[in-house]
């Protein structure tokens, strides 16, 4: 059994999850949020200034659970990575049965061909293999061929960036186990839908924006960004009632619920030297209608890339609100799954989970037994 920590840095807060890993388990023991915001300017400087406080909080939570955590995994904030879809034909030297070693060789060949010497490849997602005119989603191990054509999504950062981050955690006596692309973290936070569905969209609702990862047949197809998040909800609420955003945050925290309110209620909110009378039914209806419209815009964008039926998973900042899952199901025709309570407000849990198995990048053909065992335990636990 191993204890690790996933860290997810957001514009308004920093989250971390303590995760227990075993041969067939990946359990979130606790998700914690810290009032440590990232302004989006220089991530290395941010970590240098704040890593000590983050690690201190991790150690305090670990002691409270009577566990020890030496390894941390970092969810790289959306947009800090670089990514590119590439295609390349890789010769094998002679006609032969393709082995796992050949798959490793072809992936490394593609990385060397398209990345600079000072790039660090975080992930290499093979979207499609092609051998003698036939396409394969899974590695074509055992197929006879002289060459392989790969279509891949490469995700990378500069190696100096990686070394800076490793150095920060090493100085604090923590090992950086890896840096994970946010799209991979998002699917691992709710990965069960991708196994049973031909297509799936994952909406990660953040503070300043929402990011969408689209998967087809288990492979990452694309990532999109939308200017919708908790911040825009608060801004619209503030504009509607002519109040500061800080006050709309209080209204959102105290009075917004996605459950049907049993009766009409009016509350008084202090705004500077005056009081504002607000109907809880009115503010709830306004917020729900705004969120419904924005999510429908995102769904229509997904449909442009995935014309067939797809499953939809929603993670992020609204999942802590009571009744959010049922609210989504009330207007979305797809199968909707919302991250389980306690692991859904950030990608810190998904970050640690994906790092444990990296199932989207495994090279063996057939089923990944580790991941299927993990999904079975995940379903039973939640």
């Amino acid at each position: 059994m191993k204890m690790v920590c996933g860290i997810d840095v957001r514009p308004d807060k920093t989250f971390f999850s303590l995760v227990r890993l075993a041969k067939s388990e990946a359990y979130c023991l606790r998700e914690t949020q810290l009032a440590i915001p990232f302004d989006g300017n220089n991530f290395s400087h941010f970590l240098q200034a704040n890593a000590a406080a983050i690690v201190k909080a991790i150690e305090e939570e670990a002691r409270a659970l009577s566990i020890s955590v030496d390894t941390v995994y970092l969810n790289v904030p959306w947009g800090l990575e670089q990514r590119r879809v590439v295609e390349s034909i890789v010769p094998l030297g002679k006609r032969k049965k393709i082995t796992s070693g050949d798959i490793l060789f072809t992936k490394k060949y593609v990385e060397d061909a398209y990345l600079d010497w000072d790039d660090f490849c975080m992930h290499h997602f093979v979207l499609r293999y092609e051998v003698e005119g036939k396409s394969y989603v899974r590695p074509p191990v055992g197929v006879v061929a002289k060459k392989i054509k790969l279509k891949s999504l490469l995700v990378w950062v500069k190696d100096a960036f990686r070394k800076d981050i490793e150095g920060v955690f090493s100085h604090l006596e923590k090992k950086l186990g890896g840096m994970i692309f946010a799209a991979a973290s998002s699917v691992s936070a709710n990965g069960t839908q991708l196994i049973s569905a031909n297509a799936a969209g994952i909406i990660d609702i953040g503070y300043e924006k929402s990011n969408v990862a689209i998967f087809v047949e288990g492979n990452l197809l694309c990532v999109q960004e939308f200017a919708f998040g908790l911040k825009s909800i608060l801004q619209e609420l503030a504009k509607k009632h002519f109040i500061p955003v800080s006050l709309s945050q209080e209204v959102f925290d105290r009075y917004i619920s996605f459950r049907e309110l049993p009766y009409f209620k009016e509350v008084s909110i202090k705004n500077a030297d005056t009081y504002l009378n607000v109907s809880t039914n009115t503010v709830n209806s306004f917020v729900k209608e705004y969120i419904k419209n924005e999510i429908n815009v995102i769904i229509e964008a997904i449909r442009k890339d995935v014309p067939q039926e797809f499953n939809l998973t929603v993670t992020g900042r609204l999942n802590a609100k009571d009744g959010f899952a049922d609210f989504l199901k009330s207007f979305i025709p797809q199968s909707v799954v919302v991250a389980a309570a306690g692991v859904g407000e950030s990608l810190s849990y998904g970050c640690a989970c994906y790092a444990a198995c990296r199932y989207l990048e495994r090279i063996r053909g057939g089923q990944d037994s580790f991941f299927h065992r993990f999904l079975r335990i995940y379903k039973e636990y939640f």
Side-chain angles (χ1 to χ4, degrees):
M1 187 181 297
K2 183 180 180 182
M3 306 295 176
V4 300
C5 179
I7 301 172
D8 183 22
V9 176
R10 297 292 175 122
D12 63 327
K13 296 178 182 178
T14 293
F15 296 83
F16 67 84
S17 288
L18 300 180
V19 178
R20 184 179 69 202
L21 301 176
K23 187 175 182 180
S24 59
E25 297 178 339
Y27 293 155
C28 181
L29 303 179
R30 182 173 296 176
E31 181 186 71
T32 302
Q33 53 182 267
L34 306 174
I36 302 178
F38 171 49
D39 62 10
N41 288 327
N42 189 309
F43 191 68
S44 295
H45 290 171
F46 166 83
L47 275 184
Q48 290 168 7
N50 295 285
I54 296 171
V55 168
K56 181 181 178 182
I58 292 171
E59 291 176 341
E60 289 174 351
E61 291 294 312
R63 281 196 296 270
L65 294 172
S66 300
I67 63 174
S68 176
V69 174
D70 298 319
T71 302
V72 299
Y73 296 95
L74 181 66
N75 181 73
V76 176
W78 291 100
L80 292 189
E81 83 291 340
Q82 298 183 69
R83 56 183 186 268
R84 180 182 178 187
V85 175
V86 301
E87 292 191 34
S88 185
I89 297 174
V90 183
L92 299 178
K94 63 179 181 179
R95 189 172 176 81
K96 62 191 291 292
K97 279 189 176 181
I98 298 172
T99 66
S100 296
D102 294 323
I103 300 298
L104 280 174
F105 167 77
T106 58
K107 291 181 70 174
K108 185 64 168 58
Y109 183 100
V110 171
E111 291 166 20
D112 290 342
Y114 286 98
L115 298 182
D116 292 334
W117 66 270
D118 59 344
D119 290 331
F120 173 74
C121 188
M122 291 168 52
H123 303 283
H124 183 157
F125 304 109
V126 179
L127 307 179
R128 185 180 68 245
Y129 299 90
E130 188 175 313
V131 178
E132 298 192 347
K134 292 184 178 180
S135 292
Y136 299 83
V137 175
R138 300 286 173 250
V141 174
V143 177
V144 177
K146 191 175 182 179
K147 58 186 177 182
I148 307 175
K149 182 178 180 180
L150 272 68
K151 181 178 181 180
S152 301
L153 171 62
L154 302 180
V155 182
W156 73 93
V157 294
K158 288 298 179 183
D159 198 45
F161 176 80
R162 175 189 64 88
K163 290 178 179 177
D164 284 347
I165 293 175
E166 282 186 346
V168 169
F169 285 107
S170 177
H171 180 71
L172 297 169
E173 298 183 347
K174 296 294 179 186
K175 176 186 175 183
L176 180 65
M179 297 186 299
I180 306 300
F181 178 35
S185 298
S186 70
V187 67
S188 287
N190 265 289
T192 56
Q193 290 302 297
L194 298 183
I195 298 304
S196 59
N198 289 327
I202 301 177
I203 304 175
D204 175 41
I205 301 175
Y207 180 70
E208 292 186 337
K209 59 188 177 181
S210 293
N211 288 276
V212 177
I214 299 173
F215 290 82
V216 176
E217 296 182 347
N219 284 330
L220 181 60
L221 177 65
C222 64
V223 175
Q224 301 179 29
E225 180 181 299
F226 296 85
F228 163 68
L230 178 58
K231 185 177 180 180
S232 65
I233 297 171
L234 299 179
Q235 289 172 335
E236 291 298 317
L237 188 57
K239 188 189 305 181
K240 172 74 173 178
H241 294 283
F242 303 100
I243 58 177
V245 173
S246 59
L247 191 54
S248 69
Q249 175 79 66
E250 180 182 341
V251 173
F252 185 87
D253 292 341
R254 295 179 62 181
Y255 301 115
I256 297 301
S257 171
F258 292 97
R259 297 287 184 197
E260 289 297 325
L261 299 181
Y263 52 84
F264 178 87
K265 181 180 179 182
E266 193 170 79
V267 295
S268 293
I269 303 169
K270 187 175 182 181
N271 182 15
D273 296 329
T274 63
Y275 284 87
L276 174 69
N277 292 327
V278 176
S279 163
T280 54
N281 294 70
T282 300
V283 295
N284 273 277
S285 296
F286 173 78
V287 168
K288 288 195 285 188
E289 187 64 21
Y290 174 73
I291 293 171
K292 175 182 175 180
N293 291 337
E294 293 295 322
I295 290 181
N296 277 329
V297 168
I298 296 175
I299 290 174
E300 287 305 310
I302 295 175
R303 283 201 177 104
K304 292 179 181 178
D305 288 302
V306 186
Q308 71 263 41
E309 285 298 309
F310 59 90
N311 284 4
L312 184 68
T313 299
V314 181
T315 62
R317 302 301 291 276
L318 299 180
N319 290 350
K321 281 293 183 181
D322 189 36
F324 184 59
D326 291 334
F327 166 68
L328 290 173
K329 292 175 183 178
S330 72
F331 69 90
I332 298 177
Q334 283 80 17
S335 174
V336 179
V337 176
V338 179
V343 299
E345 286 192 70
S346 77
L347 297 181
S348 56
Y349 169 65
C351 168
C353 285
Y354 186 76
C357 58
R358 289 182 173 261
Y359 66 95
L360 294 174
E361 299 167 86
R362 298 293 287 270
I363 64 167
R364 292 185 313 203
Q367 292 185 339
D368 187 327
S369 60
F370 173 90
F371 185 61
H372 281 268
R373 291 197 303 270
F374 155 68
L375 286 180
R376 184 174 64 254
I377 298 297
Y378 182 96
K379 291 177 182 178
E380 293 172 356
Y381 186 72
F382 293 110

